[in-house]
Amino acid sequence: MLADMWPLYRLAVSTPRLELRLPREEELAKLAHLAGLGVHRADERPFLTPWTEGSADDRARSVLQGHWGKLADWSPAAWQLGLGVFRDGDPLGVVTLRSRDFPVVREVMTSAWLGIEHQGKGYGTEARAGLLTLAFDHLGARAARTEVFQDNHASQGVSRKLGYEHDGISVDARGDEALVSDRLRLTRERWQQQHRPAVTVDGIAACLPTFGL
């Protein structure tokens, strides 16, 4: 019944090891708990999101609110799709695809986090490849963009491996500090040239109006 009214709950992206899909409530709670345990070391700050501030419960609640907020604010003109990353049913993290005016602009932004215990195993690259397959091969995106701190070597490596190219910089404020990020861009043409894992996408047809297509 829920998927009949909100077909995104039938959308599933499968890679050789992973499944990307909207989490159900209990799965969302597990993802929030995972984020509360940490998504990077305490002596690092690879994201603009203050993942090390507050308690583990604070971070977990932030994941819950963020997920619910994305769904509540969804419109074809501006959407954010936060998919849980699962391996054999176990939650590993979240990958997000977002866009504004997608039917006209045909560009998306990607972002992601993985629980610290699941990093360094290639899951981030594989999950991003699944997300990009959805964007390029099933939604008709012309380009994908991401922004990465210059010292976030892990995320930089994932982007470069998938064919992203430098597209300038952006500057954000964190308190009194100005932080510089690399803007990276992947075109459809360059994506089609990349070696990538086999990916299947199920349930997309019913979701297309949700994306304004």
Side-chain angles (χ1 to χ4, degrees):
M1 179 68 74
L2 180 61
D4 291 336
M5 293 183 287
W6 198 257
L8 289 170
Y9 274 104
R10 286 205 179 99
L11 180 64
V13 180
S14 300
T15 70
R17 297 183 295 173
L18 307 173
E19 185 179 32
L20 316 180
R21 55 181 172 77
L22 280 181
R24 297 303 199 266
E25 291 301 290
E26 286 304 313
E27 294 172 329
L28 179 59
K30 291 179 181 179
L31 282 164
H33 176 72
L34 183 66
L37 296 177
V39 303
H40 60 79
R41 297 201 312 261
D43 60 344
E44 296 178 334
R45 186 67 186 272
F47 304 111
L48 193 62
T49 301
W51 283 105
T52 54
E53 294 183 6
S55 68
D57 286 345
D58 290 333
R59 294 191 291 273
R61 281 191 288 268
S62 178
V63 169
L64 296 176
Q65 290 179 292
H67 180 79
W68 292 329
K70 290 181 182 71
L71 294 180
D73 292 340
W74 188 291
S75 77
W79 46 262
Q80 295 188 65
L81 179 64
L83 299 178
V85 180
F86 298 92
R87 183 176 186 188
D88 298 328
D90 295 326
L92 309 184
V94 171
V95 289
T96 299
L97 190 71
R98 66 184 187 274
S99 185
R100 285 184 177 275
D101 302 314
F102 181 76
V104 177
V105 176
R106 295 286 176 160
E107 293 200 356
V108 295
M109 288 280 292
T110 64
S111 58
W113 62 263
L114 291 177
I116 195 166
E117 66 186 278
H118 304 300
Q119 297 172 14
K121 300 176 182 178
Y123 296 141
T125 302
E126 192 171 321
R128 180 100 68 93
L131 202 63
L132 292 171
T133 298
L134 171 64
F136 284 118
D137 300 350
H138 296 271
L139 297 178
R142 286 194 285 261
R145 296 178 291 119
T146 191
E147 296 188 2
V148 188
F149 284 167
Q150 294 178 330
D151 61 354
N152 186 346
H153 303 299
S155 186
Q156 289 267 3
V158 168
S159 298
R160 303 294 185 188
K161 188 182 301 183
L162 290 169
Y164 286 76
E165 298 177 295
H166 188 68
D167 191 42
I169 64 169
S170 61
V171 182
D172 294 287
R174 186 176 67 195
D176 296 330
E177 182 182 10
L179 300 173
V180 178
S181 296
D182 286 326
R183 289 203 315 262
L184 304 173
R185 192 167 187 266
L186 175 64
T187 63
R188 168 189 285 276
E189 292 74 21
R190 189 159 172 81
W191 165 252
Q192 291 173 337
Q193 297 168 4
Q194 304 304 305
H195 175 74
R196 53 189 188 271
V199 175
T200 60
V201 176
D202 295 312
I204 184 62
C207 297
L208 294 178
T210 311
F211 295 98
L213 301 176

